[in-house]
Amino acid sequence: MARAGTTARKTRNQMEKRQAIFEAALDVFSEKGLRGTTLEQVAKAAGLSKQNVVYYFNGKDQIYAELLESLLEKWVQPLHDLNADGDPMDEILTYVSRKVQMSRNMPRESRLFATEILHGAPRLGEVLPTDLKALVDEKAAIIQDWMDAGKLAPLDPHHLIFSIWAMTQHYADFDVQVRSVLGPERSATRFEDAERFIKDMLIRTLRP
Amino acid sequence: MARAGTTARKTRNQMEKRQAIFEAALDVFSEKGLRGTTLEQVAKAAGLSKQNVVYYFNGKDQIYAELLESLLEKWVQPLHDLNADGDPMDEILTYVSRKVQMSRNMPRESRLFATEILHGAPRLGEVLPTDLKALVDEKAAIIQDWMDAGKLAPLDPHHLIFSIWAMTQHYADFDVQVRSVLGPERSATRFEDAERFIKDMLIRTLRP
DNA sequence: AAAAATGTTGACCGATCGTGCAGAAATCAT
DNA sequence: ATGATTTCTGCACGATCGGTCAACATTTTT
């Protein structure tokens, strides 16, 4: 009897299959949501049978939960890399760059988290007020220090971070709307344009 | 036999019941999403039986579709009110104010549209590239004129509008995250703080 | 008051979906 | 090769949900 459950990391085959299921699940969940997707859709996208998917995970909810957890660290990595010893404006602009890149290259992850938080984050409820809050508080303190040192214009660091999240992730989460409004031709350069715009905005705003 | 269907607007009672269902549906749909909510949840929230809800509408999808449509005009009203003859900075800051107010007072509507667009906007697919694009293009042209006249710093008007959408709606759509990160005490003033922050940012950015 | 229209409910059906389970099939260890 | 372990599938159960229909109740109209 095989238990390909939560804690057991076993053979290479298991890892590959689990990864294939993760990949398929990310595709379907980010597009249809948790309740909107069926196990068979995930299974088909992964090239497996429905029961076989259940064999590697123990159910739909577990796939979703583990998927979310496995993406969390990668998702907050850019903020984690914000370096107190770097040049303030450079650090923030680099952060914006990475966030725009993530909206461009990882829109499914962005939409997955967006949907989850939008619906009350029942599966992230513990990590938000602890881990994420701690991380944001830490980085906000760094930014506050920069402002106190006169290297940046004084603004609320928390809301600054929120605004960067909002503006950058907007281009992943609301991509349909962005493309509809911009039209086909202008949509082609939307990420470059967005990055330039957001950076311009932050430079003007944060210049002491 | 009564047909309380799409086009028929009849008695006062019908209007009231339909409105009660709309109100209940907005509650549940914005929290659980379309596929995540059952007819009985809507019915219970409206104080009616499931079959009775079907009597006034013709199904779950129709409630959702009509609800979305009925909220659309109200949702884009602030942008529609952006006045070419007003003072440029005032007009934009007023727009921000109204958008923040909507995030505070109409978070369910915000989340409803956010979820819909996030999932590809299958029920708005026609109106986005036509009506919304026309509206945004019109207002972007106005802003562009202001910039050309030297009344505002030159920036891409479309992305300026996107950034305002993103920053303001963020406080409704991701409220759970915002409150988790800010903590209980700072959460109390999150909307006032956000409005002040966004306005400061835009003043610094748009000042010629 | 009678009749007609409107409103409401109980019973139920068909479809879908998640999940469990026995056993077949394939792979691996010895 | 043979037995053990892992991988996969066929079958089917139970639950949920959207929607139907007929009957019943209420309100409105004449």
Side-chain angles (χ1 to χ4, degrees):
Chain A
M1 143 175 133
R3 288 284 78 190
T6 313
T7 52
R9 291 295 133 77
K10 297 210 158 186
T11 75
R12 170 180 189 136
N13 192 331
Q14 282 192 13
M15 293 284 286
E16 287 176 356
K17 290 289 171 61
R18 285 173 60 92
Q19 199 56 40
I21 294 174
F22 271 154
E23 176 62 25
L26 178 56
D27 243 46
V28 189
F29 281 144
S30 66
E31 188 187 338
K32 312 242 186 184
L34 171 56
R35 304 291 169 109
T37 73
T38 71
L39 262 179
E40 260 178 10
Q41 290 174 315
V42 176
K44 187 179 178 182
L48 299 174
S49 71
K50 186 173 68 168
Q51 304 93 330
N52 206 1
V53 171
V54 181
Y55 170 75
Y56 286 103
F57 291 87
N58 283 340
K60 193 173 77 161
D61 290 11
Q62 195 174 98
I63 301 178
Y64 186 81
E66 286 197 38
L67 178 63
L68 224 57
E69 188 196 346
S70 77
L71 295 173
L72 231 173
E73 47 189 337
K74 198 194 307 183
W75 191 244
V76 296
Q77 190 60 41
L79 182 58
H80 198 271
D81 292 345
L82 192 101
N83 182 10
D85 298 330
D87 174 72
M89 191 67 84
D90 277 356
E91 287 295 321
I92 289 177
L93 295 183
T94 298
Y95 179 56
V96 170
S97 279
R98 294 188 61 184
K99 287 292 289 179
V100 173
Q101 271 180 9
M102 289 181 76
S103 277
R104 188 209 289 256
N105 300 328
M106 303 166 62
R108 297 173 304 171
E109 288 85 343
S110 186
R111 280 191 275 262
L112 194 75
F113 283 113
T115 308
E116 177 66 13
I117 296 171
L118 212 72
H119 289 21
R123 268 154 274 262
L124 295 173
E126 284 305 300
V127 75
L128 291 188
T130 58
D131 298 17
L132 184 63
K133 174 171 167 49
L135 176 62
V136 174
D137 284 345
E138 176 200 339
K139 301 305 179 181
I142 294 175
I143 297 174
Q144 186 65 56
D145 287 346
W146 288 338
M147 290 173 177
D148 291 344
K151 307 203 171 180
L152 293 177
L155 280 168
D156 188 309
H158 283 89
H159 289 276
L160 175 64
I161 292 174
F162 291 156
S163 73
I164 294 176
W165 287 352
M167 288 190 289
T168 56
Q169 293 174 8
H170 184 86
Y171 290 89
D173 302 340
F174 300 92
D175 186 54
V176 185
Q177 183 175 259
V178 168
R179 283 187 288 106
S180 294
V181 168
L182 287 182
E185 63 293 348
R186 293 210 54 191
S187 291
T189 58
R190 63 194 187 278
F191 288 107
E192 298 93 305
D193 297 342
E195 182 171 348
R196 179 177 307 265
F197 175 88
I198 299 170
K199 283 183 172 177
D200 280 0
M201 199 165 170
L202 287 174
I203 291 172
R204 291 170 190 258
T205 302
L206 293 173
R207 198 164 35 196
Chain B
M1 145 176 134
R3 288 285 77 188
T6 314
T7 50
R9 292 294 134 77
K10 297 210 159 190
T11 73
R12 170 176 189 138
N13 193 332
Q14 283 192 15
M15 294 283 286
E16 287 176 357
K17 289 290 170 63
R18 286 173 60 93
Q19 198 56 40
I21 294 173
F22 271 153
E23 178 62 25
L26 178 57
D27 244 45
V28 189
F29 281 143
S30 67
E31 187 188 338
K32 313 242 184 183
L34 172 56
R35 303 291 168 112
T37 73
T38 70
L39 264 177
E40 261 177 10
Q41 290 174 317
V42 176
K44 187 179 178 183
L48 299 174
S49 70
K50 184 175 69 167
Q51 308 92 322
N52 208 357
V53 171
V54 181
Y55 171 76
Y56 285 104
F57 291 88
N58 284 340
K60 194 173 77 161
D61 290 11
Q62 194 175 100
I63 301 177
Y64 186 79
E66 287 195 39
L67 177 63
L68 225 56
E69 188 197 346
S70 77
L71 294 174
L72 232 174
E73 48 187 338
K74 198 195 304 184
W75 192 245
V76 296
Q77 190 61 40
L79 182 57
H80 199 272
D81 291 345
L82 192 100
N83 182 10
D85 298 329
D87 175 73
M89 191 67 84
D90 278 356
E91 287 294 322
I92 289 177
L93 295 184
T94 299
Y95 179 55
V96 170
S97 279
R98 293 188 61 184
K99 287 292 289 180
V100 173
Q101 271 181 7
M102 289 180 77
S103 278
R104 186 209 290 256
N105 301 328
M106 302 165 64
R108 298 174 303 170
E109 288 84 343
S110 187
R111 282 192 274 262
L112 194 75
F113 282 113
T115 307
E116 177 66 13
I117 296 170
L118 212 71
H119 289 20
R123 269 155 272 263
L124 294 173
E126 286 305 300
V127 74
L128 290 189
T130 57
D131 298 15
L132 184 63
K133 175 172 167 47
L135 176 63
V136 174
D137 284 345
E138 176 199 338
K139 301 305 179 180
I142 293 175
I143 297 174
Q144 187 64 58
D145 286 346
W146 288 337
M147 292 172 176
D148 291 344
K151 307 203 172 181
L152 294 177
L155 280 169
D156 188 309
H158 283 89
H159 289 276
L160 174 64
I161 292 173
F162 290 156
S163 73
I164 295 175
W165 286 354
M167 288 191 289
T168 55
Q169 292 174 10
H170 184 86
Y171 290 90
D173 302 341
F174 301 94
D175 186 54
V176 185
Q177 183 175 256
V178 167
R179 282 187 289 108
S180 294
V181 169
L182 287 181
E185 63 292 349
R186 293 210 54 191
S187 292
T189 57
R190 63 194 187 279
F191 289 106
E192 297 92 304
D193 297 343
E195 182 172 348
R196 179 177 307 264
F197 175 88
I198 299 170
K199 283 183 171 177
D200 280 0
M201 199 165 171
L202 287 174
I203 291 172
R204 289 169 190 259
T205 301
L206 293 173
R207 198 165 34 197

